[in-house]
């Protein structure tokens, strides 16, 4: 017989993505065997993140402030908006330190199989920003897979009536990759997106 | 354990841990298979761009003692990537893939779900009308699941059906006297379209066009029958 609080915590951990019953049980055991301050710190961090973090009112990335540090920074070029599916994509681009514009987090990608249509994404909010923020270029940086490409297509269609340049991040061979081992689809994209050298 | 190779379509991909993916594949001779694709989400992916929806691949699988097979490699046979160049085609293809997942069974040796999916994606890629193709796909899927349109005799009482009004219940014809307790009246044109959609070979699906008027009659009936036959409502049913 498992004690009620243990059962409850297993159930809560199982709600996390990629966590099954066995992993949840291991996590619970880890918490139980941890010193009290460590377990308390975990609990405090969970409460704090829900109380203090919210979406930026402009770009919808997660932040402590009303407007996030990227949107508020005078060093960023606010005439270029990079549209990403989620926070993880934004963080990956920030880690690369190659983009100096601002962002717009869509909150997912179009996925009819999961019941997500264009109306479920923050496309209307993006269009409002384009109307009111003097945007010159929108970089569509959705993932280079079937659903990401379809989302990019929806965005292109929605953005076409606006006086704004629409660009798409390049797709093809990754740095450190090998042509010999690239599949036909990736090579095809690489040739489609070739540029003057 | 020995690896095996099989032709497959990806029906579902669920991210797992940091870089892995749990894939549901539809094979021609073994039905639906779940497999773990390790490292599938890394930038230097071992599966390249081939592990995605709307791709016919040769999948190498290694069975596992713990249950779920490992997907060890994937070679692209055909990509139906032009489907994503049109919003309506993409939505139609997504619906077809989702329904294929719901309608197929693990270990089912029947090649029909695989062949129907392949033919539907080929027809969409080739420029067939997405709305008609989705409806024909739905009708064929319902028929495959055992709800085929029974012509000639009433499914209510077994008696003959006259040339007058035609009534339909769960895609089966019923006579005028059984109709009041069993549902909906449709035109002879709609019945003929329904029969044609069931009969038409997979390779010729794009040659059958369903007019908006006929589709207005057939759409709700077919969707209702599909939901019942699947025992679930596809997420993509409302979006399409």
């Amino acid at each position: 017989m498992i004690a009620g609080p243990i059962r409850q915590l297993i159930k809560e951990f199982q709600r996390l993505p990629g966590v099954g019953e066995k992993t949840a049980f291991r996590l619970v055991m880890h918490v139980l065997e941890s010193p009290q301050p460590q377990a308390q710190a975990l609990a405090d961090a969970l409460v704090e993140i829900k109380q203090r973090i919210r979406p930026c009112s402009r770009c919808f990335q997660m932040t402590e402030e009303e407007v996030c540090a990227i949107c508020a920074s005078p060093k960023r070029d606010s005439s270029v908006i990079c549209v990403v599916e989620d926070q993880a994509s934004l963080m990956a681009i920030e880690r690369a330190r190659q983009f100096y514009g601002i962002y717009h987090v869509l909150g997912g990608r179009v996925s009819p199989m999961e019941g997500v249509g264009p109306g479920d994404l923050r496309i209307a909010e993006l269009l409002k920003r384009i109307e009111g923020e003097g945007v010159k270029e929108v970089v569509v940086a959705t993932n280079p897979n079937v659903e990401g490409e379809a989302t990019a297509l929806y965005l292109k269609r929605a953005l076409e009536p606006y006086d704004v340049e629409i660009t798409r991040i390049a797709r093809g061979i990754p740095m450190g990759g090998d042509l010999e081992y690239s599949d036909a689809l990736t090579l095809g994209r690489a040739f489609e997106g070739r540029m003057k050298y | 354990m020995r690896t095996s190779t099989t032709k497959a379509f990806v029906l579902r991909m669920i991210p797992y841990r940091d870089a892995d993916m749990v894939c549901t594949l539809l094979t021609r001779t073994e039905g639906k298979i779940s497999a773990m694709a390790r490292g599938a989400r890394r930038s230097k992916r071992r599966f390249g761009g081939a592990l995605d929806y709307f791709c016919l691949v040769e999948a190498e699988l290694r069975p596992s003692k713990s249950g779920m097979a490992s997907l060890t490699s994937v070679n692209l046979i055909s990509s139906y990537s032009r489907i994503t160049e049109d919003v309506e085609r993409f939505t139609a293809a997504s619906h077809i893939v989702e329904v294929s997942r719901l309608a197929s069974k693990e270990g089912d040796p029947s090649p029909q779900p695989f062949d129907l999916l392949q033919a539907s994606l080929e027809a969409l890629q080739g420029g067939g009308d997405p709305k008609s193709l989705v409806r024909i796909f739905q009708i064929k899927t319902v028929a495959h699941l055992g709800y085929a349109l029974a012509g000639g005799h009433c499914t209510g009482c077994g008696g003959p059906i006259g040339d007058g009004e035609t009534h339909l219940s769960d895609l089966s014809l019923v006579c005028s006297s059984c109709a009041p307790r069993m549902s909906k009246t449709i035109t002879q044109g709609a019945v003929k379209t329904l029969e044609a959609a069931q009969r038409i070979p997979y390779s010729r699906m794009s040659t059958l066009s369903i007019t908006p008027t006929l589709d207005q009659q057939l759409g709700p009936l077919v969707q209702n029958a599909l939901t019942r036959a699947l025992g679930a409502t596809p997420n993509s049913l409302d979006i399409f």
Side-chain angles (χ1 to χ4, degrees), chain B residues 2-8 25 35-37 46-47 57-63 69-75:
Chain B
R2 275 195 177 174
T3 57
S4 62
T5 55
T6 181
K7 281 183 183 178
L25 306 172
M36 177 70 74
R46 55 202 290 206
F47 303 106
V57 297
E58 189 174 68
E60 190 180 77
L61 295 155
R62 185 187 299 132
S70 280
L71 187 61
T72 50
S73 78
V74 159
N75 286 317

Side-chain angles (χ1 to χ4, degrees), chain A residues 45-87:
Chain A
L46 284 172
V47 172
E48 195 180 3
I49 200 171
K50 285 307 286 179
Q51 283 174 347
R52 291 179 50 187
I53 304 296
R54 55 184 164 170
C56 166
S57 60
R58 285 176 76 191
C59 73
F60 299 96
Q61 80 147 313
M62 291 300 166
T63 177
E64 275 187 86
E65 312 298 334
E66 168 71 17
V67 174
C68 73
I70 294 175
C71 287
S73 169
K75 290 182 183 165
R76 309 293 293 228
D77 181 356
S78 60
S79 69
V80 185
I81 293 185
C82 176
V83 182
V84 291
E85 290 179 18
D86 50 28
Q87 181 84 27

Side-chain angles (χ1 to χ4, degrees), chain A residues 18-19 23 26 110-118 120 144-147 149-150 153-154 157 174-177 183-186 189, chain B residues 11 13 15-17 43-44 47-50 52-55 76 79 81 84-87 90-91 94-95 97-98 101 235-236 239:
Chain A
V19 177
T23 307
R26 269 204 304 274
V110 176
S111 174
M113 287 182 242
E114 286 169 28
V116 181
D120 299 308
N145 53 34
V146 160
E147 290 177 333
E149 292 293 330
L153 195 66
Y154 275 105
R157 232 161 59 162
M175 285 302 290
D183 63 280
L185 209 60
T186 306
R189 294 285 192 198
Chain B
L11 297 181
M13 293 185 290
Y16 183 72
R17 293 195 171 153
S43 60
K44 286 186 212 169
F47 303 106
D52 208 342
Y53 299 113
F54 318 149
C55 287
L76 184 69
S79 162
S81 59
T84 57
E85 291 168 11
D86 178 271
V87 167
F90 162 73
T91 313
S94 298
H95 176 71
V97 169
E98 189 194 3
R101 177 175 61 78
N235 288 323
S236 51
I239 291 174

Side-chain angles (χ1 to χ4, degrees), chain A residues 27 59 61 118 126-127 163:
Chain A
L27 292 172
C59 73
Q61 80 147 313
L126 172 66
L127 301 181
D163 183 22

Side-chain angles (χ1 to χ4, degrees), chain A residues 24-179:
Chain A
F25 186 74
R26 269 204 304 274
L27 292 172
V28 170
M29 286 302 114
H30 176 79
V31 172
L32 271 177
E33 287 158 13
S34 304
Q36 174 69 19
Q38 201 176 312
Q40 189 61 51
L42 175 66
D44 291 346
L46 284 172
V47 172
E48 195 180 3
I49 200 171
K50 285 307 286 179
Q51 283 174 347
R52 291 179 50 187
I53 304 296
R54 55 184 164 170
C56 166
S57 60
R58 285 176 76 191
C59 73
F60 299 96
Q61 80 147 313
M62 291 300 166
T63 177
E64 275 187 86
E65 312 298 334
E66 168 71 17
V67 174
C68 73
I70 294 175
C71 287
S73 169
K75 290 182 183 165
R76 309 293 293 228
D77 181 356
S78 60
S79 69
V80 185
I81 293 185
C82 176
V83 182
V84 291
E85 290 179 18
D86 50 28
Q87 181 84 27
S89 300
L90 186 153
M91 285 162 70
I93 296 172
E94 278 299 290
R95 273 198 303 272
R97 295 184 182 184
Q98 297 291 322
F99 176 68
Y100 303 104
I102 55 174
Y103 294 92
H104 186 85
V105 181
L106 283 176
R109 74 260 181 269
V110 176
S111 174
M113 287 182 242
E114 286 169 28
V116 181
D120 299 308
L121 306 178
R122 298 188 190 106
I123 296 176
E125 289 86 341
L126 172 66
L127 301 181
K128 212 180 272 180
R129 289 183 70 187
I130 288 165
E131 280 171 356
E133 292 182 21
V135 178
K136 290 180 186 153
E137 181 184 352
V138 175
V139 185
V140 180
T142 52
N143 282 313
N145 53 34
V146 160
E147 290 177 333
E149 292 293 330
T151 308
L153 195 66
Y154 275 105
L155 284 169
K156 187 177 173 235
R157 232 161 59 162
L159 292 166
E160 265 165 356
Y162 295 84
D163 183 22
V164 64
E165 191 179 357
I166 309 160
T167 56
R168 176 89 173 104
I169 52 164
R171 292 150 293 174
I173 315 292
M175 285 302 290
D178 196 322
L179 289 178

Side-chain angles (χ1 to χ4, degrees), chain B residues 20-59:
Chain B
D20 304 341
M21 195 85 85
V22 176
C23 300
T24 307
L25 306 172
L26 181 63
T27 67
R28 194 160 191 274
T29 51
E30 294 165 69
K32 201 160 59 175
I33 291 175
S34 291
M36 177 70 74
R38 296 199 191 281
R41 294 162 66 216
R42 291 190 202 284
S43 60
K44 286 186 212 169
R45 328 191 314 182
R46 55 202 290 206
F47 303 106
L51 190 62
D52 208 342
Y53 299 113
F54 318 149
C55 287
L56 174 61
V57 297
E58 189 174 68

